[in-house]
Amino acid sequence: MGAKDGARPGVNRRLLLQGAVGAGGLVALGGLGAARSMVSAAAPPVKGSLNKLFIPLPAHATTELTAAPGLTDLGGGSMGRALLYNGHLPGPTFVVPKGQLVSVPFTNGLDAPTTVHWHGLIVPTVADGQPHDAIVPKSSYLYQFTVNQRAGMSWYHPHPHLATASQVAYGLAGGFIIRDDVEDALNLPSDPYEVPLVIRDANVDKAGNLSYNGKASGFTGSIPLVNGTRDAQLEVDQTWYRFRILIGSNSRLFNLTLSSGAFRLIGNDGGLLPTAVDVAAIELSPGERVDVLVDCTGIGAGETVNLVDTNSGWTLLRLTGTGALNAPTSVGRIPADGDALCVDIPTLVAPADVTRRTFSFDGMTRINGLVYDMDRISFEVPENTVEEWVFRTNGNAPHPVHIHGASFQVVSRTGGRRTLFEWEAGWKDTVLLHDRETVTVRIRFDGGHRGRYLMHCHKLEHEDAGMMLNFMVVDPNAQLGASPAAYDTAVPGPHGMAAQGHVSHK
Ligand code: C2O
Ligand code: CU
């Protein structure tokens, strides 16, 4: 599977880049070519002065978390009001080994209810930060779960009923990195050569504060922020970097390219891919992550390579060479294009009588014709059983489809782009649906948690407007429709089987 680009970094591009830098100093170069093409031309220069990229602070398994309004440096000392986790945008990056018990005391310092949802983490319902479990202002809640999944980058963000979009747009988000022995054995570049990049768009008002005007189709801001920094620059030594990229926008899609060279893609939502692969461009939607290695060995002192979004034409981040040749001794051999990453990813196999559920993402507010109802349980899924879920849409896409409670494997895409991409291999928890596309995934809820989970469009304005549903993961031996007492968490509200999530058998 996978539509592999033949394009590779070209000698001409590097020469062009160096020539431009030599002649004109800070001339931004970026790909303006069609998606997934390395054909590129000069991008508009970065506006204003360049600001040092903010690196989120570290957090560990018991770091306290507070959401509150505050002032944040949006770059170069220009302070703006925003909603912040622990005083920062993004909030701290949790780094937690697999197997660890996470116990995060959270305090809501906002003037509205909020929750903390651990997007990509497979946790009990009571720790999932669902709209049902809102934390009211000035109160606290202990989020507790054991990390029982492979290494990868997840993230956390608010998920309150009807207000997820505005709280995220105003700044609430942070990264969550899991480590494990399999990944450690690869000796990939580590701090300061491993850098999380939380990419989003934003609007800033005249006073310099973050502003938000949601519209039904989805919010699109007028400037990019990388780790909360406008016109961001990172000084790079002449070595390989590992960028942990998260798209934290409300609705904007990004098509990432480098002004020179390709990404060596090694991971996505659910951790490392089976194989390292060079890709020239990566199309990503809100909630998706990629793990890429970038060769900065050829970026000499003062030379630059830009991370560019070809959809908007924005330069997101400028990498500027320091000229320092400190290849870290701890870094092992960088996996080459096509190298196996020595990870074990079992293929989910559908049983002969597989349950197939079909979900139609209708308009901008409904799934299978229904607007979200907090008290409706749309269907029940037996745990530890592979099912096929089919997502389709006719219009009003893109819809990034996100599922709580399990990772899935993308099996096929028909219509629209008609292909699967390199970054859709392995394990995913969010998959992009363009107009007229049908995407089929295989999913198995085997995290050991029965209870209520969510599926929704991760275009946050669509989610808040109702493009979301609840489902229940249940004991496969219990009868469907069993009483809530059969679940390991209390289930509020009436519990019935609605005519949603049409079930059919092959
Ligand atoms: Cu990232 Cu239900 O969300
Ligand atoms: Cu949508």
Side-chain angles (χ1 to χ4, degrees), residues 117-120 128-129 131 155-159 164 286-287 289 402-404 429-430 454-458 460 463 468:
H117 168 53
W118 309 89
H119 178 133
D128 201 37
W155 63 301
Y156 59 98
H157 64 76
H159 215 309
T164 296
R289 288 88 72 202
H402 172 52
I403 302 174
H404 293 212
D429 56 56
T430 307
L454 298 168
M455 179 174 75
H456 59 90
C457 178
H458 218 285
L460 300 179
E463 171 193 330
M468 179 153 71

PDB file of all heavy atoms in Angstrom, residues 117-120 128-129 131 155-159 164 286-287 289 402-404 429-430 454-458 460 463 468, ligand 1:
ATOM      1  N   HIS A 117      -8.716  15.725  27.283  1.00  0.00           N
ATOM      2  CA  HIS A 117      -8.779  14.474  26.517  1.00  0.00           C
ATOM      3  C   HIS A 117      -7.367  14.121  26.062  1.00  0.00           C
ATOM      4  O   HIS A 117      -6.641  14.974  25.560  1.00  0.00           O
ATOM      5  CB  HIS A 117      -9.695  14.628  25.301  1.00  0.00           C
ATOM      6  CG  HIS A 117      -9.575  13.485  24.339  1.00  0.00           C
ATOM      7  ND1 HIS A 117      -9.722  12.167  24.730  1.00  0.00           N
ATOM      8  CD2 HIS A 117      -9.272  13.450  23.011  1.00  0.00           C
ATOM      9  CE1 HIS A 117      -9.536  11.377  23.677  1.00  0.00           C
ATOM     10  NE2 HIS A 117      -9.265  12.127  22.629  1.00  0.00           N
ATOM     11  N   TRP A 118      -7.006  12.852  26.261  1.00  0.00           N
ATOM     12  CA  TRP A 118      -5.659  12.386  25.898  1.00  0.00           C
ATOM     13  C   TRP A 118      -5.767  11.708  24.538  1.00  0.00           C
ATOM     14  O   TRP A 118      -5.926  10.496  24.439  1.00  0.00           O
ATOM     15  CB  TRP A 118      -5.127  11.453  27.003  1.00  0.00           C
ATOM     16  CG  TRP A 118      -5.258  12.083  28.361  1.00  0.00           C
ATOM     17  CD1 TRP A 118      -6.327  12.009  29.196  1.00  0.00           C
ATOM     18  CD2 TRP A 118      -4.312  12.935  29.011  1.00  0.00           C
ATOM     19  NE1 TRP A 118      -6.108  12.756  30.330  1.00  0.00           N
ATOM     20  CE2 TRP A 118      -4.867  13.333  30.239  1.00  0.00           C
ATOM     21  CE3 TRP A 118      -3.027  13.409  28.677  1.00  0.00           C
ATOM     22  CZ2 TRP A 118      -4.205  14.173  31.138  1.00  0.00           C
ATOM     23  CZ3 TRP A 118      -2.364  14.237  29.574  1.00  0.00           C
ATOM     24  CH2 TRP A 118      -2.953  14.608  30.780  1.00  0.00           C
ATOM     25  N   HIS A 119      -5.690  12.513  23.502  1.00  0.00           N
ATOM     26  CA  HIS A 119      -5.939  12.060  22.131  1.00  0.00           C
ATOM     27  C   HIS A 119      -4.861  11.067  21.688  1.00  0.00           C
ATOM     28  O   HIS A 119      -3.682  11.411  21.646  1.00  0.00           O
ATOM     29  CB  HIS A 119      -5.963  13.296  21.213  1.00  0.00           C
ATOM     30  CG  HIS A 119      -6.150  13.011  19.766  1.00  0.00           C
ATOM     31  ND1 HIS A 119      -7.048  13.682  18.982  1.00  0.00           N
ATOM     32  CD2 HIS A 119      -5.551  12.125  18.942  1.00  0.00           C
ATOM     33  CE1 HIS A 119      -6.995  13.234  17.741  1.00  0.00           C
ATOM     34  NE2 HIS A 119      -6.087  12.275  17.694  1.00  0.00           N
ATOM     35  N   GLY A 120      -5.297   9.854  21.360  1.00  0.00           N
ATOM     36  CA  GLY A 120      -4.359   8.814  20.928  1.00  0.00           C
ATOM     37  C   GLY A 120      -4.001   7.844  22.033  1.00  0.00           C
ATOM     38  O   GLY A 120      -3.497   6.765  21.766  1.00  0.00           O
ATOM     39  N   ASP A 128     -10.816   9.690  30.038  1.00  0.00           N
ATOM     40  CA  ASP A 128     -10.783  10.039  28.614  1.00  0.00           C
ATOM     41  C   ASP A 128     -11.166  11.500  28.346  1.00  0.00           C
ATOM     42  O   ASP A 128     -11.105  11.963  27.219  1.00  0.00           O
ATOM     43  CB  ASP A 128     -11.715   9.085  27.842  1.00  0.00           C
ATOM     44  CG  ASP A 128     -11.393   9.003  26.354  1.00  0.00           C
ATOM     45  OD1 ASP A 128     -10.189   9.043  26.015  1.00  0.00           O
ATOM     46  OD2 ASP A 128     -12.323   8.901  25.541  1.00  0.00           O
ATOM     47  N   GLY A 129     -11.574  12.207  29.380  1.00  0.00           N
ATOM     48  CA  GLY A 129     -11.889  13.627  29.221  1.00  0.00           C
ATOM     49  C   GLY A 129     -13.042  13.888  28.271  1.00  0.00           C
ATOM     50  O   GLY A 129     -13.013  14.828  27.479  1.00  0.00           O
ATOM     51  N   PRO A 131     -16.974  14.818  26.986  1.00  0.00           N
ATOM     52  CA  PRO A 131     -17.853  15.939  27.331  1.00  0.00           C
ATOM     53  C   PRO A 131     -18.710  15.653  28.571  1.00  0.00           C
ATOM     54  O   PRO A 131     -19.084  16.585  29.294  1.00  0.00           O
ATOM     55  CB  PRO A 131     -18.742  16.099  26.095  1.00  0.00           C
ATOM     56  CG  PRO A 131     -17.992  15.454  24.988  1.00  0.00           C
ATOM     57  CD  PRO A 131     -17.145  14.380  25.594  1.00  0.00           C
ATOM     58  N   TRP A 155      -1.406  13.439  22.117  1.00  0.00           N
ATOM     59  CA  TRP A 155      -1.499  14.824  22.589  1.00  0.00           C
ATOM     60  C   TRP A 155      -2.694  14.989  23.493  1.00  0.00           C
ATOM     61  O   TRP A 155      -3.484  14.044  23.657  1.00  0.00           O
ATOM     62  CB  TRP A 155      -1.490  15.811  21.426  1.00  0.00           C
ATOM     63  CG  TRP A 155      -2.610  15.787  20.420  1.00  0.00           C
ATOM     64  CD1 TRP A 155      -2.986  14.732  19.632  1.00  0.00           C
ATOM     65  CD2 TRP A 155      -3.449  16.881  20.048  1.00  0.00           C
ATOM     66  NE1 TRP A 155      -4.002  15.121  18.791  1.00  0.00           N
ATOM     67  CE2 TRP A 155      -4.310  16.423  19.018  1.00  0.00           C
ATOM     68  CE3 TRP A 155      -3.556  18.219  20.474  1.00  0.00           C
ATOM     69  CZ2 TRP A 155      -5.275  17.250  18.418  1.00  0.00           C
ATOM     70  CZ3 TRP A 155      -4.497  19.035  19.874  1.00  0.00           C
ATOM     71  CH2 TRP A 155      -5.342  18.552  18.858  1.00  0.00           C
ATOM     72  N   TYR A 156      -2.794  16.141  24.125  1.00  0.00           N
ATOM     73  CA  TYR A 156      -3.934  16.393  25.008  1.00  0.00           C
ATOM     74  C   TYR A 156      -4.537  17.748  24.670  1.00  0.00           C
ATOM     75  O   TYR A 156      -3.850  18.676  24.266  1.00  0.00           O
ATOM     76  CB  TYR A 156      -3.524  16.307  26.480  1.00  0.00           C
ATOM     77  CG  TYR A 156      -2.441  17.264  26.925  1.00  0.00           C
ATOM     78  CD1 TYR A 156      -2.760  18.459  27.572  1.00  0.00           C
ATOM     79  CD2 TYR A 156      -1.093  16.975  26.717  1.00  0.00           C
ATOM     80  CE1 TYR A 156      -1.767  19.331  27.997  1.00  0.00           C
ATOM     81  CE2 TYR A 156      -0.097  17.852  27.130  1.00  0.00           C
ATOM     82  CZ  TYR A 156      -0.435  19.022  27.773  1.00  0.00           C
ATOM     83  OH  TYR A 156       0.544  19.894  28.168  1.00  0.00           O
ATOM     84  N   HIS A 157      -5.857  17.806  24.806  1.00  0.00           N
ATOM     85  CA  HIS A 157      -6.575  19.050  24.497  1.00  0.00           C
ATOM     86  C   HIS A 157      -7.943  18.992  25.165  1.00  0.00           C
ATOM     87  O   HIS A 157      -8.398  17.919  25.554  1.00  0.00           O
ATOM     88  CB  HIS A 157      -6.689  19.243  22.978  1.00  0.00           C
ATOM     89  CG  HIS A 157      -7.502  18.197  22.256  1.00  0.00           C
ATOM     90  ND1 HIS A 157      -8.878  18.162  22.278  1.00  0.00           N
ATOM     91  CD2 HIS A 157      -7.129  17.131  21.508  1.00  0.00           C
ATOM     92  CE1 HIS A 157      -9.316  17.135  21.563  1.00  0.00           C
ATOM     93  NE2 HIS A 157      -8.268  16.481  21.086  1.00  0.00           N
ATOM     94  N   PRO A 158      -8.632  20.120  25.294  1.00  0.00           N
ATOM     95  CA  PRO A 158      -9.958  20.130  25.906  1.00  0.00           C
ATOM     96  C   PRO A 158     -10.982  19.424  25.012  1.00  0.00           C
ATOM     97  O   PRO A 158     -10.799  19.336  23.800  1.00  0.00           O
ATOM     98  CB  PRO A 158     -10.310  21.625  25.993  1.00  0.00           C
ATOM     99  CG  PRO A 158      -9.039  22.365  25.743  1.00  0.00           C
ATOM    100  CD  PRO A 158      -8.194  21.473  24.897  1.00  0.00           C
ATOM    101  N   HIS A 159     -12.050  18.929  25.642  1.00  0.00           N
ATOM    102  CA  HIS A 159     -13.107  18.236  24.889  1.00  0.00           C
ATOM    103  C   HIS A 159     -14.472  18.509  25.521  1.00  0.00           C
ATOM    104  O   HIS A 159     -15.320  17.615  25.600  1.00  0.00           O
ATOM    105  CB  HIS A 159     -12.820  16.733  24.931  1.00  0.00           C
ATOM    106  CG  HIS A 159     -13.184  15.971  23.697  1.00  0.00           C
ATOM    107  ND1 HIS A 159     -14.421  16.038  23.087  1.00  0.00           N
ATOM    108  CD2 HIS A 159     -12.446  15.100  22.959  1.00  0.00           C
ATOM    109  CE1 HIS A 159     -14.413  15.214  22.042  1.00  0.00           C
ATOM    110  NE2 HIS A 159     -13.231  14.645  21.941  1.00  0.00           N
ATOM    111  N   THR A 164     -15.254  22.779  22.468  1.00  0.00           N
ATOM    112  CA  THR A 164     -13.897  22.292  22.190  1.00  0.00           C
ATOM    113  C   THR A 164     -13.169  23.240  21.231  1.00  0.00           C
ATOM    114  O   THR A 164     -12.013  23.598  21.448  1.00  0.00           O
ATOM    115  CB  THR A 164     -13.967  20.865  21.601  1.00  0.00           C
ATOM    116  OG1 THR A 164     -14.514  19.997  22.594  1.00  0.00           O
ATOM    117  CG2 THR A 164     -12.596  20.360  21.192  1.00  0.00           C
ATOM    118  N   PRO A 286      -6.265  18.074  11.083  1.00  0.00           N
ATOM    119  CA  PRO A 286      -6.246  18.284  12.530  1.00  0.00           C
ATOM    120  C   PRO A 286      -6.247  16.965  13.307  1.00  0.00           C
ATOM    121  O   PRO A 286      -7.078  16.098  13.061  1.00  0.00           O
ATOM    122  CB  PRO A 286      -7.538  19.064  12.784  1.00  0.00           C
ATOM    123  CG  PRO A 286      -7.774  19.801  11.522  1.00  0.00           C
ATOM    124  CD  PRO A 286      -7.298  18.886  10.428  1.00  0.00           C
ATOM    125  N   GLY A 287      -5.320  16.855  14.246  1.00  0.00           N
ATOM    126  CA  GLY A 287      -5.236  15.675  15.100  1.00  0.00           C
ATOM    127  C   GLY A 287      -4.201  14.669  14.667  1.00  0.00           C
ATOM    128  O   GLY A 287      -3.788  13.824  15.458  1.00  0.00           O
ATOM    129  N   ARG A 289      -0.535  13.045  13.494  1.00  0.00           N
ATOM    130  CA  ARG A 289       0.876  13.249  13.817  1.00  0.00           C
ATOM    131  C   ARG A 289       1.765  12.495  12.838  1.00  0.00           C
ATOM    132  O   ARG A 289       1.362  11.465  12.310  1.00  0.00           O
ATOM    133  CB  ARG A 289       1.209  12.703  15.237  1.00  0.00           C
ATOM    134  CG  ARG A 289       0.654  13.527  16.373  1.00  0.00           C
ATOM    135  CD  ARG A 289      -0.752  13.122  16.765  1.00  0.00           C
ATOM    136  NE  ARG A 289      -0.815  11.848  17.448  1.00  0.00           N
ATOM    137  CZ  ARG A 289      -1.907  11.078  17.530  1.00  0.00           C
ATOM    138  NH1 ARG A 289      -3.029  11.451  16.946  1.00  0.00           N
ATOM    139  NH2 ARG A 289      -1.871   9.942  18.183  1.00  0.00           N
ATOM    140  N   HIS A 402     -11.835  10.753  13.768  1.00  0.00           N
ATOM    141  CA  HIS A 402     -11.048  10.335  14.936  1.00  0.00           C
ATOM    142  C   HIS A 402     -11.863   9.411  15.828  1.00  0.00           C
ATOM    143  O   HIS A 402     -13.045   9.654  16.056  1.00  0.00           O
ATOM    144  CB  HIS A 402     -10.607  11.565  15.737  1.00  0.00           C
ATOM    145  CG  HIS A 402      -9.961  11.233  17.058  1.00  0.00           C
ATOM    146  ND1 HIS A 402      -8.908  10.340  17.168  1.00  0.00           N
ATOM    147  CD2 HIS A 402     -10.214  11.664  18.321  1.00  0.00           C
ATOM    148  CE1 HIS A 402      -8.558  10.251  18.449  1.00  0.00           C
ATOM    149  NE2 HIS A 402      -9.328  11.032  19.172  1.00  0.00           N
ATOM    150  N   ILE A 403     -11.212   8.354  16.314  1.00  0.00           N
ATOM    151  CA  ILE A 403     -11.866   7.402  17.206  1.00  0.00           C
ATOM    152  C   ILE A 403     -11.108   7.350  18.526  1.00  0.00           C
ATOM    153  O   ILE A 403      -9.878   7.279  18.538  1.00  0.00           O
ATOM    154  CB  ILE A 403     -11.907   5.999  16.558  1.00  0.00           C
ATOM    155  CG1 ILE A 403     -12.646   6.069  15.214  1.00  0.00           C
ATOM    156  CG2 ILE A 403     -12.568   4.992  17.494  1.00  0.00           C
ATOM    157  CD1 ILE A 403     -12.619   4.763  14.442  1.00  0.00           C
ATOM    158  N   HIS A 404     -11.843   7.390  19.614  1.00  0.00           N
ATOM    159  CA  HIS A 404     -11.254   7.213  20.947  1.00  0.00           C
ATOM    160  C   HIS A 404     -11.211   5.717  21.285  1.00  0.00           C
ATOM    161  O   HIS A 404     -12.029   4.937  20.808  1.00  0.00           O
ATOM    162  CB  HIS A 404     -12.129   7.868  22.021  1.00  0.00           C
ATOM    163  CG  HIS A 404     -12.211   9.366  21.973  1.00  0.00           C
ATOM    164  ND1 HIS A 404     -12.370  10.130  23.103  1.00  0.00           N
ATOM    165  CD2 HIS A 404     -12.171  10.259  20.949  1.00  0.00           C
ATOM    166  CE1 HIS A 404     -12.434  11.414  22.787  1.00  0.00           C
ATOM    167  NE2 HIS A 404     -12.322  11.526  21.468  1.00  0.00           N
ATOM    168  N   ASP A 429      -5.127   6.893  14.606  1.00  0.00           N
ATOM    169  CA  ASP A 429      -6.360   7.154  15.359  1.00  0.00           C
ATOM    170  C   ASP A 429      -7.180   8.259  14.708  1.00  0.00           C
ATOM    171  O   ASP A 429      -8.280   8.568  15.154  1.00  0.00           O
ATOM    172  CB  ASP A 429      -6.066   7.485  16.830  1.00  0.00           C
ATOM    173  CG  ASP A 429      -5.114   8.655  16.996  1.00  0.00           C
ATOM    174  OD1 ASP A 429      -5.398   9.742  16.462  1.00  0.00           O
ATOM    175  OD2 ASP A 429      -4.077   8.486  17.669  1.00  0.00           O
ATOM    176  N   THR A 430      -6.631   8.854  13.656  1.00  0.00           N
ATOM    177  CA  THR A 430      -7.330   9.911  12.920  1.00  0.00           C
ATOM    178  C   THR A 430      -7.019   9.695  11.444  1.00  0.00           C
ATOM    179  O   THR A 430      -5.857   9.509  11.085  1.00  0.00           O
ATOM    180  CB  THR A 430      -6.810  11.304  13.356  1.00  0.00           C
ATOM    181  OG1 THR A 430      -6.892  11.414  14.783  1.00  0.00           O
ATOM    182  CG2 THR A 430      -7.616  12.425  12.721  1.00  0.00           C
ATOM    183  N   LEU A 454     -15.865   7.785  22.016  1.00  0.00           N
ATOM    184  CA  LEU A 454     -16.405   8.726  21.036  1.00  0.00           C
ATOM    185  C   LEU A 454     -15.800   8.494  19.660  1.00  0.00           C
ATOM    186  O   LEU A 454     -14.656   8.054  19.542  1.00  0.00           O
ATOM    187  CB  LEU A 454     -16.049  10.174  21.438  1.00  0.00           C
ATOM    188  CG  LEU A 454     -16.585  10.702  22.757  1.00  0.00           C
ATOM    189  CD1 LEU A 454     -15.890  12.010  23.114  1.00  0.00           C
ATOM    190  CD2 LEU A 454     -18.084  10.927  22.655  1.00  0.00           C
ATOM    191  N   MET A 455     -16.575   8.798  18.655  1.00  0.00           N
ATOM    192  CA  MET A 455     -16.042   8.941  17.309  1.00  0.00           C
ATOM    193  C   MET A 455     -16.546  10.281  16.786  1.00  0.00           C
ATOM    194  O   MET A 455     -17.711  10.621  17.002  1.00  0.00           O
ATOM    195  CB  MET A 455     -16.538   7.827  16.391  1.00  0.00           C
ATOM    196  CG  MET A 455     -15.998   7.981  14.976  1.00  0.00           C
ATOM    197  SD  MET A 455     -16.425   6.586  13.948  1.00  0.00           S
ATOM    198  CE  MET A 455     -18.126   6.959  13.669  1.00  0.00           C
ATOM    199  N   HIS A 456     -15.675  11.015  16.139  1.00  0.00           N
ATOM    200  CA  HIS A 456     -16.120  12.327  15.641  1.00  0.00           C
ATOM    201  C   HIS A 456     -15.211  12.864  14.560  1.00  0.00           C
ATOM    202  O   HIS A 456     -14.102  12.376  14.345  1.00  0.00           O
ATOM    203  CB  HIS A 456     -16.199  13.339  16.793  1.00  0.00           C
ATOM    204  CG  HIS A 456     -14.908  13.564  17.531  1.00  0.00           C
ATOM    205  ND1 HIS A 456     -14.008  14.529  17.169  1.00  0.00           N
ATOM    206  CD2 HIS A 456     -14.375  12.955  18.624  1.00  0.00           C
ATOM    207  CE1 HIS A 456     -12.977  14.514  18.017  1.00  0.00           C
ATOM    208  NE2 HIS A 456     -13.170  13.557  18.901  1.00  0.00           N
ATOM    209  N   CYS A 457     -15.715  13.881  13.903  1.00  0.00           N
ATOM    210  CA  CYS A 457     -14.893  14.657  12.983  1.00  0.00           C
ATOM    211  C   CYS A 457     -13.969  15.534  13.814  1.00  0.00           C
ATOM    212  O   CYS A 457     -14.408  16.170  14.767  1.00  0.00           O
ATOM    213  CB  CYS A 457     -15.771  15.537  12.091  1.00  0.00           C
ATOM    214  SG  CYS A 457     -14.798  16.559  10.958  1.00  0.00           S
ATOM    215  N   HIS A 458     -12.683  15.554  13.471  1.00  0.00           N
ATOM    216  CA  HIS A 458     -11.744  16.378  14.247  1.00  0.00           C
ATOM    217  C   HIS A 458     -11.598  17.784  13.694  1.00  0.00           C
ATOM    218  O   HIS A 458     -10.730  18.546  14.104  1.00  0.00           O
ATOM    219  CB  HIS A 458     -10.377  15.709  14.388  1.00  0.00           C
ATOM    220  CG  HIS A 458      -9.760  15.939  15.732  1.00  0.00           C
ATOM    221  ND1 HIS A 458      -9.201  17.147  16.094  1.00  0.00           N
ATOM    222  CD2 HIS A 458      -9.645  15.138  16.816  1.00  0.00           C
ATOM    223  CE1 HIS A 458      -8.755  17.068  17.340  1.00  0.00           C
ATOM    224  NE2 HIS A 458      -9.017  15.854  17.807  1.00  0.00           N
ATOM    225  N   LEU A 460     -12.876  20.835  14.445  1.00  0.00           N
ATOM    226  CA  LEU A 460     -13.505  21.026  15.758  1.00  0.00           C
ATOM    227  C   LEU A 460     -14.844  21.742  15.685  1.00  0.00           C
ATOM    228  O   LEU A 460     -15.717  21.511  16.516  1.00  0.00           O
ATOM    229  CB  LEU A 460     -12.546  21.756  16.698  1.00  0.00           C
ATOM    230  CG  LEU A 460     -11.224  20.995  16.935  1.00  0.00           C
ATOM    231  CD1 LEU A 460     -10.306  21.790  17.853  1.00  0.00           C
ATOM    232  CD2 LEU A 460     -11.479  19.606  17.509  1.00  0.00           C
ATOM    233  N   GLU A 463     -17.268  19.027  14.941  1.00  0.00           N
ATOM    234  CA  GLU A 463     -17.475  18.231  16.154  1.00  0.00           C
ATOM    235  C   GLU A 463     -18.454  18.933  17.108  1.00  0.00           C
ATOM    236  O   GLU A 463     -19.439  18.335  17.553  1.00  0.00           O
ATOM    237  CB  GLU A 463     -16.122  18.009  16.857  1.00  0.00           C
ATOM    238  CG  GLU A 463     -16.232  17.382  18.236  1.00  0.00           C
ATOM    239  CD  GLU A 463     -14.928  17.452  19.030  1.00  0.00           C
ATOM    240  OE1 GLU A 463     -13.852  17.433  18.412  1.00  0.00           O
ATOM    241  OE2 GLU A 463     -14.994  17.508  20.266  1.00  0.00           O
ATOM    242  N   MET A 468     -20.498  13.883  15.780  1.00  0.00           N
ATOM    243  CA  MET A 468     -19.863  13.075  16.829  1.00  0.00           C
ATOM    244  C   MET A 468     -20.899  12.073  17.319  1.00  0.00           C
ATOM    245  O   MET A 468     -22.097  12.311  17.236  1.00  0.00           O
ATOM    246  CB  MET A 468     -19.416  14.004  17.970  1.00  0.00           C
ATOM    247  CG  MET A 468     -18.768  13.314  19.156  1.00  0.00           C
ATOM    248  SD  MET A 468     -17.607  14.392  20.033  1.00  0.00           S
ATOM    249  CE  MET A 468     -18.707  15.552  20.818  1.00  0.00           C
TER     250      MET A 468
HETATM  251 CU1  C2O B   1      -8.542  14.992  19.653  1.00  0.00          CU
HETATM  252 CU2  C2O B   1     -12.215  13.399  20.589  1.00  0.00          CU
HETATM  253  O1  C2O B   1     -10.409  14.292  20.134  1.00  0.00           O
END
